[in-house]
Amino acid sequence: MDNALPSAASAGAPAAPRRRASQDEAGRRRRAALAAARLYVCVDLSRDLPDLLAFADAAFRGGVDILQVRDKSAESRAEVEALRALRPVADAHGALLAANDRADVAVLAGVDVLHLGQGDLTTADARALVGSEVLVGRSTRTEEQMHEAASDPGIDYFCTGPVWATPTKPDRAPVGLDLPRAAARAEAEPAGAGEDPAASKPFFAIGGIDLARVPEVLAVGAQRIVVVRAVAEAADPEAAARALRDALTAEA
């Protein structure tokens, strides 16, 4: 009788398929959550960690679907630590967690989403680092950029803006409502020959949006928004998030 133990290679052979299956499942789960998302909030690291976790818990209770840590002045170590601490909070609410700009931070922190600006990594380079299971978003400021993002197979969603002037992007002139209007029009166009009609990408209007401006955003066909101050600077983040979500879904 051959009592030899299986070799290390043969014993570990199933690991790669299992890992790929797990990654594929994570990607499907994240993309399903993105498809249903309406409210996306960005927060900086000006709070201490306990306050940040309390804020996130309140924002998720109010209906935030995606929370992004975006702080251009923060050291990468601080971003990784904050995102790792936020991971179980997001998981408890079934929400998505996002990193901004840095693919290395996204990988180390185990986030769901990497958001990129126009001057950040190319989609191919970002995918080489984060893999296929992490969602990738892209900021757009022109119709050309918007169409590029919409047609890029490696991009999962894009943002259009800033719609209105915002102190979080002081160097960016507002683009107005024409860009989200064009994105909504493109999203509503029938699919061409050979295209999947269900494959249209979610887009989010961003920049200077608050509760009073939600009706204007909805009127041009945008159904999803990104906000910063409207929730991050609210005295009651849970109530602020709930009011925004109610406004977004009132006519759904």
Side-chain angles (χ1 to χ4, degrees):
M1 179 181 292
D2 186 359
N3 292 320
L5 293 173
S7 68
S10 62
R18 283 199 299 267
R19 184 163 56 251
R20 284 195 296 273
S22 176
Q23 290 169 342
D24 290 345
E25 177 56 32
R28 285 192 291 270
R29 176 183 58 78
R30 288 163 173 162
R31 288 178 175 88
L34 173 65
R38 303 295 292 274
L39 182 57
Y40 190 149
V41 170
C42 297
V43 63
D44 63 22
L45 296 181
S46 57
R47 296 170 170 84
D48 62 24
L49 190 56
D51 283 348
L52 177 63
L53 299 181
F55 164 80
D57 190 50
F60 289 138
R61 288 198 308 269
V64 169
D65 301 293
I66 309 173
L67 182 69
Q68 179 189 131
V69 171
R70 185 178 75 187
D71 194 325
K72 301 292 188 180
S73 65
E75 298 285 348
S76 57
R77 179 184 294 184
E79 290 184 272
V80 170
E81 290 175 352
L83 287 163
R84 283 174 173 166
L86 285 164
R87 175 76 276 170
V89 183
D91 288 345
H93 291 276
L96 298 175
L97 187 62
N100 181 251
D101 295 351
R102 299 285 300 268
D104 55 344
V105 168
V107 171
L108 291 170
V111 300
D112 306 295
V113 182
L114 171 64
H115 187 81
L116 301 171
Q118 285 295 312
D120 296 324
L121 292 175
T122 65
T123 306
D125 285 343
R127 284 287 175 209
L129 294 173
V130 303
S132 62
E133 71 274 14
V134 173
L135 308 184
V136 174
R138 180 78 71 180
S139 295
T140 68
R141 302 190 297 275
T142 67
E143 283 201 40
E144 181 181 8
Q145 292 172 355
M146 180 266 290
H147 287 297
E148 286 176 356
S151 61
D152 186 337
I155 294 293
D156 294 289
Y157 73 92
F158 58 93
C159 295
T160 57
V163 178
W164 287 280
T166 170
T168 64
K169 293 284 186 181
D171 58 335
R172 300 282 162 78
V175 301
L177 288 163
D178 285 344
L179 189 56
R181 181 184 287 112
R185 189 166 55 243
E187 186 180 39
E189 288 175 355
E195 293 180 4
D196 181 356
S200 60
K201 279 178 194 158
F203 77 91
F204 295 78
I206 185 173
I209 300 172
D210 58 18
L211 184 60
R213 285 171 165 166
V214 168
E216 293 180 71
V217 174
L218 291 172
V220 300
Q223 299 179 332
R224 304 170 180 86
I225 61 172
V226 180
V227 301
V228 182
R229 293 171 297 148
V231 173
E233 296 183 6
D236 186 339
E238 181 178 352
R242 183 170 291 112
L244 285 164
R245 188 171 189 85
D246 287 348
L248 286 167
T249 58
E251 299 178 6

